[in-house]
Amino acid sequence: MATGLDFEQPIRDLESKIKELRSFAESHQVDLSDEIRTLEQRLQSLEDSLYSNLTPWQRVQIARQSGRPTTLEYVRGICETFVELHGDRNFRDDPAVVGGIGMLQGQPITWIGHQRGRDTKENLYRNFGMAHPEGYRKALRLMRQAEKFGRPVVFFIDTMGAYPGSSAEERGQSEAIATNLRAMAGLKTPTISVVTGEGASGGALGIGVTDRIYALEYSWYSVIAPESAAAILWRDSTYAEKAAEVMRITAQDLVDLRIADEVIPEPRGGAQKDPNWMISKVGEKIVAGLKELLQIPIEQLLDERYHKYRDMGSFSE
């Protein structure tokens, strides 16, 4: 098992038992194939039952697992070629947001996304995927460049939120995110965003106003994290599980609420179980989405984008 979540312990126990039986059979030259086959069938049944009945909080936990593909892994796995671009031309380069130009089936595309690390050292360098204002300004620079040269833009969302430190606020964190929201609403080129893990708060929204929003099966997307919502609603962050239940933040909830357009299935247990398969499926969905969007005249696309967001949150009593 690549993960160590509490609710997956029965699966780990059964996998350990199967491994022990195989080792015993090999070392003692005995045939335990029937017993092993029975346990493997039980394991498959257990996995089917567990992963088909996940609670919202369990999905949040899977979305936070290490080993899930990062933005750079998606881009480099999907593109034939990719050139990363750096800096916001104002303050510095923010490693928590990456972007550049890559070719996909002969089509030049601008790719932008949050970037997390694989280990503690890289996570510190990437600030755990929590962008500073210069990260959002870098994203804006690349968006404007894409608009100028008629390139579609694809975004990957995976962040705990924008960096909340005083240094970020001093450099205009809220202004940078607000500017991106306004710019993306009127960007004259097709745009797609893929929520690959966590999509928390304004940090996610800062690169999330797009023509199409796809959400991975175990991802979540919300204006606030469950722990923060619990701290506000019940003054106790330990109520995060309850908050996740009532907030409707899972991928299927997003589609039902007309926030996301489609759920991209993940391998059983999460993208971290088979990263290459996940990257391939995301690439296929992006190709299909761009093929559709590139056929729509820009003025019509802008009108559809306006109504897409204008209609979000509508309700009837």
Side-chain angles (χ1 to χ4, degrees):
M1 292 287 291
T3 60
L5 298 174
D6 290 343
F7 68 86
E8 293 177 314
Q9 188 61 47
I11 292 176
R12 291 196 295 276
D13 291 341
L14 202 48
E15 286 180 329
S16 178
K17 183 63 176 178
I18 292 171
K19 185 177 179 180
E20 289 176 8
L21 280 181
R22 284 177 176 161
S23 177
F24 183 87
E26 291 176 4
S27 61
H28 291 78
Q29 297 297 307
V30 295
D31 183 11
L32 297 175
S33 56
D34 289 341
E35 290 82 354
I36 292 173
R37 190 178 305 110
T38 298
L39 289 180
E40 287 176 336
Q41 292 172 349
R42 189 185 304 172
L43 175 62
Q44 182 174 352
S45 176
L46 179 60
E47 288 179 333
D48 289 341
S49 175
L50 178 66
Y51 292 122
S52 62
N53 295 284
L54 291 170
T55 67
W57 179 240
Q58 289 170 337
R59 290 174 180 271
V60 169
Q61 291 176 291
I62 292 177
R64 292 171 172 172
Q65 285 297 285
S66 61
R68 294 177 70 85
T70 66
T71 291
L72 287 177
E73 289 170 339
Y74 277 114
V75 173
R76 289 168 177 161
I78 293 170
C79 294
E80 294 96 33
T81 59
F82 174 68
V83 177
E84 186 175 352
L85 302 176
H86 299 272
D88 68 343
R89 302 298 185 267
N90 183 33
F91 182 69
R92 64 154 190 156
D93 184 51
D94 184 358
V97 173
V98 295
I101 303 170
M103 298 293 291
L104 177 58
Q105 297 186 355
Q107 169 70 52
I109 299 169
T110 292
W111 306 81
I112 301 169
H114 302 105
Q115 180 67 22
R116 298 196 188 209
R118 277 277 171 245
D119 52 34
T120 301
K121 182 178 180 181
E122 188 181 2
N123 266 320
L124 290 172
Y125 172 67
R126 300 288 183 183
N127 201 35
F128 296 86
M130 295 186 292
H132 292 77
E134 49 269 24
Y136 294 104
R137 291 178 180 130
K138 174 168 67 174
L140 179 62
R141 179 175 76 84
L142 298 183
M143 289 181 226
R144 291 301 191 194
Q145 182 191 79
E147 181 181 51
K148 178 179 179 180
F149 292 101
R151 291 192 299 266
V153 188
V154 177
F155 302 87
F156 292 97
I157 297 172
D158 184 18
T159 182
M160 295 181 284
Y163 180 60
S166 60
S167 60
E169 297 298 338
E170 288 167 357
R171 295 196 299 276
Q173 184 73 285
S174 58
E175 182 275 336
I177 292 173
T179 298
N180 279 18
L181 297 179
R182 182 178 62 185
M184 295 182 80
L187 202 66
K188 295 181 179 179
T189 193
T191 55
I192 290 175
S193 57
V194 184
V195 185
T196 61
E198 295 187 272
S201 194
L205 292 174
I207 57 171
V209 181
T210 54
D211 297 305
R212 297 290 183 271
I213 300 175
Y214 304 129
L216 267 62
E217 183 179 358
Y218 300 126
S219 68
W220 62 276
Y221 192 37
S222 174
V223 296
I224 192 171
E227 293 91 339
S228 300
I232 293 172
L233 295 174
W234 297 286
R235 300 187 183 280
D236 188 345
S237 61
T238 61
Y239 282 82
E241 182 173 358
K242 181 178 179 181
E245 292 280 352
V246 302
M247 289 168 64
R248 300 193 66 185
I249 60 178
T250 69
Q252 189 57 55
D253 287 329
L254 297 174
V255 172
D256 294 341
L257 294 170
R258 296 184 298 173
I259 295 171
D261 296 279
E262 196 167 335
V263 175
I264 303 177
E266 294 191 38
R268 187 168 53 190
Q272 71 279 5
K273 305 291 186 179
D274 193 344
N276 291 332
W277 183 90
M278 191 74 257
I279 290 170
S280 175
K281 290 302 177 182
V282 169
E284 291 174 6
K285 180 53 61 179
I286 290 171
V287 168
L290 288 176
K291 183 178 180 180
E292 174 190 356
L293 292 173
L294 287 168
Q295 296 177 2
I296 303 175
I298 289 298
E299 291 307 317
Q300 179 182 341
L301 196 66
L302 291 174
D303 185 63
E304 291 180 2
R305 189 186 302 162
Y306 169 81
H307 286 288
K308 174 185 179 68
Y309 289 90
R310 189 70 179 85
D311 292 342
M312 285 184 185
S314 60
F315 66 95
S316 59
E317 295 184 359

